[in-house]
């Protein structure tokens, strides 16, 4: 336990040092160590639920829904309990098997190569940690969050709302690393991250390699992270080093990153060329269709879930704007016929994090459909989902509404 205390104290100093520009700092600084202590304790518990795969036995099974060993969802009622999601309850979405401690080796020796710069260089994790650091709060969300609501039952985990979390990342700015390499080459249009988790016996790297390209400009606010919520990034969440691209869907936040390149063209691997593309039902993915980059504005209610007592009822939930701050949330208790403004509560962790909201109203006994609708600079959360073959980008307020009984 001494080792955990040392890590927590060090992480708290790092968090405070790197968060000076984040609104609500005073409130957050008091919560982060508490979350880290609980997570460190839970990670050591030997009696994790048997339904969880071995590599995440340290998680809190009662807050999770296991779809498969590569798809584990946070229960809706456990999402909004705090502004920052405890690691023990964060969802899992893996394209490949998580690397083991043996495969990773000594974490400080982990290497990443930087290419598409004027002085291509490889750095160890220890070297990156000596180059400076920053802290950013972001929503991490799978592109298929909300897939459960699509009527054509697309393949993949049937996520409802739980393939999302709000997390605090610490690492070195990609801009700092690029500068140390002499700057980015002139013809680069994309930043391409490549995971180092491809099986050694793989015969078709393009089919299985986790590699994603995002617009070059995203390097300015992206980081190479080694900590999340004040602790070393667990293997299950892409440790020891993960690319964090704020405001972009989870697939772009490359786990176990081993190469970062500035490229003239998008990657041609399956995960970029055909997967994670938004295309009509019944068709096949290809580069001609939009890819899952920026998250869209979204919100959902987390309480009450099914029942409430008549009289004063407090409706609460979370909302975010993707690459911009969420500007407001409205709540309806009659299936969207009438809307009233909710208020934000708790700290503002910056434009890439979600905000908690509440709306208090008086309800008589009966049945109600409650819904939330968020707004940001990019627009307002729509009533209907955008139908597409793989069930991506669902931010429909109607799909995410809840039927409750007031007694």
């Amino acid at each position: 336990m001494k080792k955990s205390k040392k890590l927590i104290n060090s992480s708290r100093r790092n968090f405070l040092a790197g968060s000076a520009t984040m609104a609500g700092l005073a409130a957050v600084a008091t919560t982060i160590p508490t979350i880290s202590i609980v997570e460190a304790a839970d990670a050591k518990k030997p009696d994790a639920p048997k339904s969880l795969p071995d590599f995440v036995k340290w998680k809190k099974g009662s807050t999770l829904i296991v779809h498969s060993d590569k798809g584990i969802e946070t229960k809706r009622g456990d999402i909004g309990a705090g502004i920052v999601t405890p690691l023990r309850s964060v969802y899992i979405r893996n394209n490949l098997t998580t690397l083991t401690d043996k495969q990773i080796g000594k974490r400080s020796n982990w290497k990443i190569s930087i290419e598409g710069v004027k002085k291509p260089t490889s750095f160890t994790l220890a070297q990156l940690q000596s180059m400076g650091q920053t802290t950013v709060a972001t929503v991490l969300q799978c592109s298929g969050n909300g897939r459960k609501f699509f009527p054509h039952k697309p393949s993949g985990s049937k996520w409802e709302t739980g393939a999302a979390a709000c997390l605090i990342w610490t690492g070195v700015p990609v801009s700092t690393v690029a500068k140390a390499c002499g700057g980015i080459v002139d013809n680069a249009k994309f930043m391409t991250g490549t995971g180092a988790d491809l099986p050694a016996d793989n015969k078709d790297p393009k089919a299985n390699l986790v590699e994603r390209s995002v617009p070059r400009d995203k390097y300015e606010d992206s980081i190479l992270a080694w900590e999340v919520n004040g602790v070393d990034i667990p293997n299950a969440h892409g440790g020891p080093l993960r690319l964090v691209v704020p405001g972009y869907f989870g697939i772009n936040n490359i786990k176990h990153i081993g190469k970062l390149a500035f490229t003239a063209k998008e990657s041609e691997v399956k995960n970029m060329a055909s997967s994670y593309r938004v295309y009509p039902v019944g068709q096949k993915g290809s580069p001609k269709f939009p890819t899952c980059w920026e998250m869209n504005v979204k919100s959902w209610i987390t309480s009450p879930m099914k029942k409430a007592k008549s009289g004063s009822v407090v409706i609460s939930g979370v909302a975010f704007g993707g690459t911009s701050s969420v500007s407001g949330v409205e709540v309806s208790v009659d299936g969207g016929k009438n809307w009233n403004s909710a208020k934000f509560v708790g700290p503002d962790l910056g434009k890439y994090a979600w905000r908690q909201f509440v709306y208090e109203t008086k309800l008589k006994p009966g049945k109600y459909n409650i819904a939330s609708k968020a707004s940001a600079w990019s627009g307002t959360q729509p009533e209907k989902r955008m139908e597409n073959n793989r069930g991506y980008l669902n931010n429909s307020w109607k799909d995410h509404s809840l039927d409750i009984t007031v007694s």
Side-chain angles (χ1 to χ4, degrees):
M1 201 62 183
K2 288 182 179 179
K3 184 176 180 180
S4 296
K5 282 186 176 180
K6 184 178 180 181
L7 173 61
I8 291 162
N9 290 336
S10 171
S11 298
R12 184 176 188 275
R13 289 194 299 271
N14 293 343
F15 176 81
L16 293 173
S19 305
T21 61
M22 299 175 87
L25 174 61
V28 180
T30 61
T31 64
I32 296 301
T34 304
I35 292 170
S36 299
I37 290 169
V38 173
E39 289 170 354
D42 274 13
K44 292 180 178 295
K45 287 183 179 180
D47 55 347
K50 293 180 180 179
S51 57
L52 290 172
D54 288 341
F55 75 105
V56 286
K57 286 291 187 184
W58 52 273
K59 285 186 175 285
K60 189 175 182 181
S62 62
T63 65
L64 300 167
I65 301 168
V66 179
H67 294 289
S68 69
D69 60 349
K70 293 182 179 180
I72 301 173
E73 177 173 3
T74 308
K75 291 181 179 178
R76 184 167 181 159
D78 290 293
I79 280 181
I83 189 77
V84 177
T85 311
L87 287 183
R88 63 187 183 273
S89 299
V90 175
Y91 78 99
I92 291 289
R93 169 64 182 106
N94 286 341
N95 280 284
L96 296 173
T97 303
T98 291
L99 292 181
T100 64
D101 288 338
K102 184 178 180 180
Q103 289 172 312
I104 290 171
K106 188 176 181 181
R107 293 173 76 92
S108 60
N109 291 338
W110 179 268
K111 286 188 176 182
I112 179 172
S113 62
I114 310 298
E115 301 177 7
V117 288
K118 295 176 182 177
K119 298 178 183 178
T121 311
S122 290
F123 296 97
T124 65
L125 176 55
Q127 288 174 321
L128 292 178
Q129 291 173 327
S130 70
M131 296 172 67
Q133 66 179 39
T134 189
T135 298
V136 61
T138 74
V139 171
L140 183 70
Q141 180 186 209
C142 178
S143 314
N145 200 26
R147 178 180 287 133
K148 178 180 178 180
F149 303 111
F150 284 80
H152 70 284
K153 299 181 180 180
S155 61
S157 296
K158 301 301 184 285
W159 310 113
E160 185 177 313
T161 62
C166 189
L167 303 167
I168 307 281
W169 304 94
T170 297
V172 63
V174 170
S175 58
T176 298
V177 178
K179 184 177 180 180
C181 296
I184 300 170
V185 294
D186 295 336
N187 68 336
K189 295 182 180 180
F190 300 94
M191 178 176 70
T192 300
T194 308
D197 45 353
L198 189 66
D201 59 351
N202 183 72
K203 296 180 180 180
D204 187 2
K206 281 193 175 183
N208 297 308
L209 189 67
V210 179
E211 183 173 85
R212 290 284 294 177
S213 300
V214 300
R216 166 185 163 150
D217 289 349
K218 284 304 296 179
Y219 90 95
E220 295 176 355
D221 55 4
S222 296
I223 70 173
L224 291 169
W226 53 78
E227 282 188 6
V228 60
N229 288 8
V231 298
D232 292 342
I233 299 176
N235 299 356
H237 291 295
L241 191 66
R242 183 168 187 170
L243 176 65
V244 175
V245 185
Y248 275 48
F249 282 106
I251 184 60
N252 304 288
N253 294 249
I254 302 296
K255 297 177 180 179
H256 311 301
I257 187 166
K259 183 173 75 172
L260 185 68
F262 294 93
T263 57
K265 297 180 179 180
E266 290 184 3
S267 170
E268 295 180 348
V269 306
K270 181 180 178 181
N271 268 311
M272 189 73 215
S274 58
S275 295
Y276 296 96
R277 295 281 173 175
V278 185
Y279 52 93
V281 177
Q283 294 191 28
K284 293 184 178 181
S286 76
K288 72 178 182 181
F289 296 111
T291 190
C292 294
W293 274 344
E294 296 180 2
M295 291 188 289
N296 40 16
V297 60
K298 192 171 184 178
S299 71
W300 59 83
I301 290 165
T302 57
S303 179
M305 292 286 292
K306 295 180 179 179
K307 299 178 181 179
K309 294 289 185 181
S310 60
S312 180
V313 177
V314 176
I315 298 171
S316 61
V318 296
F320 53 96
T323 56
S324 66
S325 298
V326 60
S327 57
V329 178
E330 295 177 290
V331 170
S332 172
V333 297
D334 57 9
K337 295 178 182 177
N338 296 283
W339 296 91
N340 293 283
S341 295
K343 66 177 181 180
F344 291 127
V345 294
D348 182 350
L349 300 186
K351 66 180 181 179
Y352 298 120
W354 63 36
R355 296 296 308 272
Q356 292 174 293
F357 65 85
V358 297
Y359 173 68
E360 186 172 355
T361 186
K362 292 187 181 297
L363 296 178
K364 297 178 180 180
K367 295 184 181 299
Y368 297 83
N369 177 262
I370 57 176
S372 64
K373 180 171 63 174
S375 297
W377 72 269
S378 56
T380 300
Q381 199 173 343
E383 176 181 359
K384 298 180 180 180
R385 75 187 83 85
M386 179 174 61
E387 302 294 346
N388 63 91
N389 194 71
R390 291 303 310 278
Y392 291 140
L393 280 60
N394 188 358
N395 66 337
S396 156
W397 64 254
K398 190 172 186 66
D399 279 348
H400 291 81
S401 66
L402 292 169
D403 292 319
I404 65 169
T405 300
V406 176
S407 59

